[in-house]
Amino acid sequence: MKTFPTEPIVWPDGAAALRAEVRGFLAEHHRHPDPVRRASSWAVPDAAFSRALGEAGYIGMTWPAEYGGHERSALERYIVLEELLAAGAPVGAHWIADRQTGPLLLRYGNEEQRRRWLPGMARGEVYACIGLSEPGAGSDLAAVRTSARREGDDWVINGQKVWTTNAHNAQLMIALVRSEAGSERNAGLSQFLIPMDAPGVTVRPIIDLTGGHDFNEVFLDDVRLPAAALVGVEGDGWKQVTAELSLERSGPERYISSLALLIELIAHAGPDAAEPVRSLIGRAAAQVSTLRLMSATVAARLAAGEDPALAATMVKDLGNSFEQALPHLVQASIEIDTADDTPLAAVLGYLLQVSPSFSLRGGTREILKGIIARGLGLR
Amino acid sequence: MNEQQQMLADMADGLFAELGPKATVAGHWGRIAEAGLTGLLVSDANGGFGGSWADALLVFRLAGYHALALPLVEAVVAARLSGVLDGLGSLAMRCEGVIDNGAFTGTVGGIAWGRDADYVIAAAPDGGAMLLRRGDATVREGRSIAGEPRDAWVVERAACTPIDGIDVAAIGAFVRVAQSAGALDAALALAVAHVNDRKQFGRPLAKFQAVQQSLATLACEAAAVNCAALAAAMALDARDASYAVAAAKTRAGEAIGEATAIAHQVHGAIGFTEEYGLHPLTRRLWCWRSEFGGDGHWASVLGGRIAAAGPARFWPDLTAIST
Ligand SMILES: Cc1cc2nc3c(=O)[nH]c(=O)nc-3n(C[C@H](O)[C@H](O)[C@H](O)COP(=O)(O)OP(=O)(O)OC[C@H]3O[C@@H](n4cnc5c(N)ncnc54)[C@H](O)[C@@H]3O)c2cc1C
């Protein structure tokens, strides 16, 4: 039995130059990052930053030029992403469009959808959100009830999505809905592209436990869409969503949220770090460096045309567990006043509060372990 | 894997599966020598195979996978460090003593199969490494908890050859991570087969979600160690491997603790028997976690180095491992 791909990562020619180029870009556009904003990098929307990234050619990097893309390799894209996230750059506005929605439209979307939406995404001006979860459908995604009904050539959508990150910034949502009345579970589902300004779409904020506003409820009341709003094949929604999720799961964002904390811990410890903090830094670094290579290996296998779904799921599960454990390990090792305004206290305080969500968003820990168990032949 | 590596892996896999945990040096070392494996990392010019550390990882991982009870990994590395094929070499985990006029007096300990070895590579008392021939050393025999020989040589004024630029502890640590990567995958394979086969409450254990979730955790830990081992091998082939090796040995130590507990738990009592094939893997893993520095040691080394470099160097140094 082999649990993980054993092919070494072969970085593309010019990798070092690209890395240096991104670091140069960050030095110019991301000068004095606030440590808490660093820790929330891919949740922080910043329209100006997204536009600058788009101008630099760092969004839609692997997409065809005819849709505004830059035809770079998947590993080049990986280098850019990990550098942006490690620096804690505010990539939240366009993050979902670049990672998930753009590639989904390239794979399944029709020509009209691609021409209409992809160039704006690549410019860093068009943002997307993911309409999967509903009040009655969380882990059990096949329980979605939002419906699409045909009326003449049109589709009429009714229902509700929830926990929709970025819905208040996005111009479009890809929603998973039941397009066949009376269908059950994962049959009869389709994906639709819903412009957020379509009549009948209402977005209501949900405030998270830190007081922040990232996710929302989205109500869909008689939202009328043309036939061309269907994404991919009618009835294939489940299959398409499953493919989308493996893009969602293995990226560097799945382990890197706590990097800002580790960096503040190193600063706090000083050059002659004493135990137990010194060993904690070593243990955390061992985790981070391993996770980075696991994540990059998955990117390399994807680039080679394989579907390393099991490995991708492992990366998310291990990454989330590490990100979640670190704040508590730090708290256990140093005396800290959580009301302090030092960078370390601020990042620690923030991550203690948000880290429970790491093993929920993008598929819960239990669901991921279930997928891994299936890959092992246990179910 | 290229074609040559595939052939090497197939050969090693077949041979180690046959020899396994019951092999003895007296009975079976000839099979290893015949296959030419000792020269894996020795140059072509000196009669070896001229392999890379990535090739070595393939072979060492399989030695771990099959719980091979022979000093294969030590012999391969010792031959590489000495540069020639000349008798059976091993590695020492400890060294106490002095070098005076090119002669060493003291004790080198933690030598795998020291009783059978002709020479040993050890850390030299003042840094670097040295090659010590057995000569008239007094051999003190010991055994690890996995039942493998771990011996010490006590020597007086034995001729020793210095080897520059070698960190025996780091290379030994890499070797143990490579073996652990294989043994963890093998323990997972045993566990998966067992829970699919064993029925309780009218169904296979594999159908219980608690069992599934535990084994998913075991698989993730095994995967992490395999990835860390590969990173360390690539770093040894490319450049300074000290960061990658410290990280890999630290990560492996953590994985071993968690993974062996799960492997035993899902097996129930059968896994606790001498007859069943789990303990040759787990008892070795428990030894390897401590040998050539445990995770506490390497975490402290790595943490100290990172702290000394300062927060601004953290990410650049981390990415330099593979870039
Ligand atoms: C910060 C954040 C952002 C999000 N963004 C989005 C978004 O943009 N778009 C979107 O569609 N969704 C989003 N989600 C929703 C997310 O996908 C769901 O939270 C997740 O799928 C779990 O669903 P639930 O919250 O309803 O929990 P439930 O499904 O009710 O689960 C609660 C607990 O029960 C466990 N559980 C459930 N079923 C099983 C089972 N069969 N076996 C064992 N344990 C089980 C779960 O693992 C979990 O621990 C977001 C969530 C968060 C926290």
Side-chain angles (χ1 to χ4, degrees):
Chain A
M1 179 172 288
K2 262 193 186 165
T3 42
F4 206 73
T6 43
E7 289 80 5
I9 305 160
V10 181
W11 295 99
D13 291 341
L18 177 60
R19 205 177 277 289
E21 184 192 301
V22 183
R23 288 178 187 173
F25 174 90
L26 286 164
E28 187 182 335
H29 294 271
H30 183 53
R31 262 186 221 137
H32 303 291
D34 164 72
V36 171
R37 266 172 72 102
R38 282 182 71 143
S40 44
S41 175
W42 57 289
V44 176
D46 180 334
F49 188 81
S50 289
R51 214 173 299 113
L53 271 183
E55 243 165 61
Y58 294 150
I59 304 178
M61 282 182 72
T62 61
W63 308 351
E66 59 172 320
Y67 302 117
H70 305 284
E71 309 196 345
R72 309 287 291 256
S73 70
L75 279 175
E76 287 176 308
R77 174 170 180 268
Y78 187 90
I79 289 169
V80 172
L81 289 193
E82 72 170 358
E83 288 297 325
L84 293 175
L85 292 167
V91 293
H94 68 273
W95 187 255
I96 289 168
D98 180 50
R99 175 184 72 187
Q100 211 158 332
T101 314
L104 177 86
L105 291 180
L106 275 173
R107 187 155 172 195
Y108 298 112
N110 56 42
E111 195 55 24
E112 186 187 323
Q113 289 164 343
R114 294 179 190 173
R115 297 223 172 272
R116 163 97 176 72
W117 298 101
L118 293 176
M121 288 182 181
R123 284 196 306 274
E125 292 169 357
V126 171
Y127 318 135
C129 61
I130 306 165
L132 294 174
S133 304
E134 296 182 6
S139 299
D140 186 13
L141 187 56
V144 295
R145 285 174 52 193
T146 297
S147 68
R149 159 172 58 83
R150 264 185 209 282
E151 260 190 42
D153 282 345
D154 292 346
W155 289 96
V156 178
I157 315 281
N158 274 289
Q160 185 199 338
K161 295 294 174 182
V162 71
W163 317 125
T164 322
T165 302
N166 213 32
H168 54 305
N169 300 312
Q171 292 96 322
L172 75 152
M173 168 196 270
I174 307 285
L176 180 70
V177 310
R178 199 160 289 289
S179 54
E180 185 189 329
S183 63
E184 302 251 359
R185 308 294 303 159
N186 51 16
L189 299 172
S190 300
Q191 285 186 298
F192 285 89
L193 190 160
I194 305 179
M196 296 302 282
D197 59 2
V201 177
T202 311
V203 177
R204 274 207 216 129
I206 304 177
I207 303 305
D208 69 32
L209 59 75
T210 70
H213 173 206
D214 290 334
F215 54 24
N216 304 272
E217 295 180 283
V218 180
F219 297 91
L220 303 164
D221 298 307
D222 287 327
V223 179
R224 183 172 289 272
L225 302 172
L230 177 72
V231 178
V233 176
E234 184 180 339
D236 269 3
W238 185 261
K239 195 185 90 191
Q240 293 174 198
V241 158
T242 316
E244 178 184 341
L245 287 176
S246 85
L247 298 174
E248 185 182 337
R249 285 189 172 140
S250 61
E253 73 272 25
R254 296 304 180 187
Y255 75 87
I256 229 162
S257 297
S258 288
L259 200 68
L261 175 60
L262 180 51
I263 288 171
E264 292 307 332
L265 183 68
I266 295 166
H268 168 88
D272 302 315
E275 296 295 354
V277 172
R278 177 175 157 150
S279 291
L280 176 57
I281 292 170
R283 284 187 189 276
Q287 290 272 357
V288 172
S289 72
T290 306
L291 285 163
R292 170 176 179 259
L293 291 160
M294 294 181 88
S295 177
T297 299
V298 171
R301 296 336 299 156
L302 281 168
E306 296 168 21
D307 179 16
L310 183 60
T313 312
M314 289 180 172
V315 173
K316 179 175 185 308
D317 187 35
L318 282 170
N320 290 166
S321 297
F322 162 71
E323 290 189 312
Q324 225 160 39
L326 189 66
H328 295 279
L329 292 171
V330 170
Q331 199 175 25
S333 320
I334 57 174
E335 287 309 308
I336 193 154
D337 178 350
T338 56
D340 257 359
D341 59 1
T342 63
L344 179 62
V347 180
L348 177 63
Y350 172 76
L351 284 171
L352 284 170
Q353 297 174 77
V354 298
S355 58
S357 72
F358 297 168
S359 56
L360 297 173
R361 62 186 184 192
T364 70
R365 165 174 300 125
E366 291 72 23
I367 296 302
L368 295 180
K369 287 201 195 296
I371 294 170
I372 297 167
R374 180 171 295 126
L376 294 173
L378 301 176
R379 42 189 296 242
Chain B
M1 241 192 277
N2 61 37
E3 209 175 306
Q4 223 178 1
Q5 287 180 320
Q6 190 64 56
M7 277 167 58
L8 177 67
D10 289 346
M11 184 267 279
D13 197 24
L15 182 59
F16 300 167
E18 186 194 331
L19 300 178
K22 299 228 160 72
T24 60
V25 169
H28 306 98
W29 185 254
R31 300 286 303 282
I32 302 285
E34 248 166 57
L37 279 171
T38 332
L40 180 62
L41 298 179
V42 173
S43 67
D44 303 338
N46 286 337
F49 176 85
S52 64
W53 287 105
D55 298 329
L57 170 59
L58 288 177
V59 173
F60 296 175
R61 181 184 169 280
L62 287 165
Y65 196 97
H66 296 295
L68 181 68
L70 293 172
L72 169 85
V73 298
E74 290 83 3
V76 169
V77 173
R80 150 89 189 220
L81 299 183
S82 72
V84 290
L85 282 166
D86 180 16
L88 178 63
S90 188
L91 304 176
M93 297 171 210
R94 287 178 297 280
C95 170
E96 265 174 52
V98 287
I99 295 183
D100 182 27
N101 256 335
F104 174 78
T105 299
T107 305
V108 285
I111 308 171
W113 283 268
R115 67 198 65 176
D116 299 304
D118 301 309
Y119 68 96
V120 63
I121 312 282
D126 313 317
M130 62 181 183
L131 186 156
L132 209 59
R133 300 218 149 259
R134 167 115 155 227
D136 48 12
T138 309
V139 178
R140 282 204 206 123
E141 298 194 351
R143 271 188 196 278
S144 73
I145 57 167
E148 291 188 347
R150 292 290 185 269
D151 305 327
W153 290 359
V154 184
V155 295
E156 207 155 319
R157 301 210 44 77
C160 68
T161 321
I163 308 176
D164 287 338
I166 293 296
D167 181 349
V168 178
I171 291 188
F174 162 71
V175 169
R176 292 298 184 251
V177 173
Q179 291 171 288
S180 301
L184 288 166
D185 275 3
L188 175 67
L190 275 182
V192 166
H194 176 74
V195 302
N196 274 322
D197 183 52
R198 164 86 173 159
K199 288 200 179 73
Q200 286 290 279
F201 301 96
R203 45 188 179 141
L205 296 177
K207 298 301 159 204
F208 293 98
Q209 196 187 44
V211 171
Q212 293 171 359
Q213 303 254 316
S214 292
L215 288 187
T217 302
L218 168 49
C220 286
E221 293 300 306
V225 177
N226 275 275
C227 189
L230 180 60
M234 302 298 290
L236 279 166
D237 279 325
R239 59 187 89 81
D240 173 22
S242 52
Y243 193 123
V245 166
K249 191 68 164 65
T250 303
R251 186 65 188 84
E254 293 176 355
I256 288 167
E258 179 148 22
T260 54
I262 294 171
H264 275 286
Q265 188 65 19
V266 302
H267 271 94
I270 191 75
F272 193 61
T273 61
E274 184 181 37
E275 188 191 348
Y276 191 81
L278 182 60
H279 72 85
L281 298 166
T282 52
R283 288 163 73 218
R284 280 181 173 73
L285 284 163
W286 294 322
C287 298
W288 296 339
R289 181 177 185 176
S290 288
E291 291 180 351
F292 297 102
D295 37 311
H297 166 77
W298 284 108
S300 186
V301 168
L302 185 57
R305 162 197 182 138
I306 290 168
R313 288 300 315 164
F314 179 73
W315 181 253
D317 289 349
L318 183 84
T319 44
I321 293 177
S322 172
T323 202

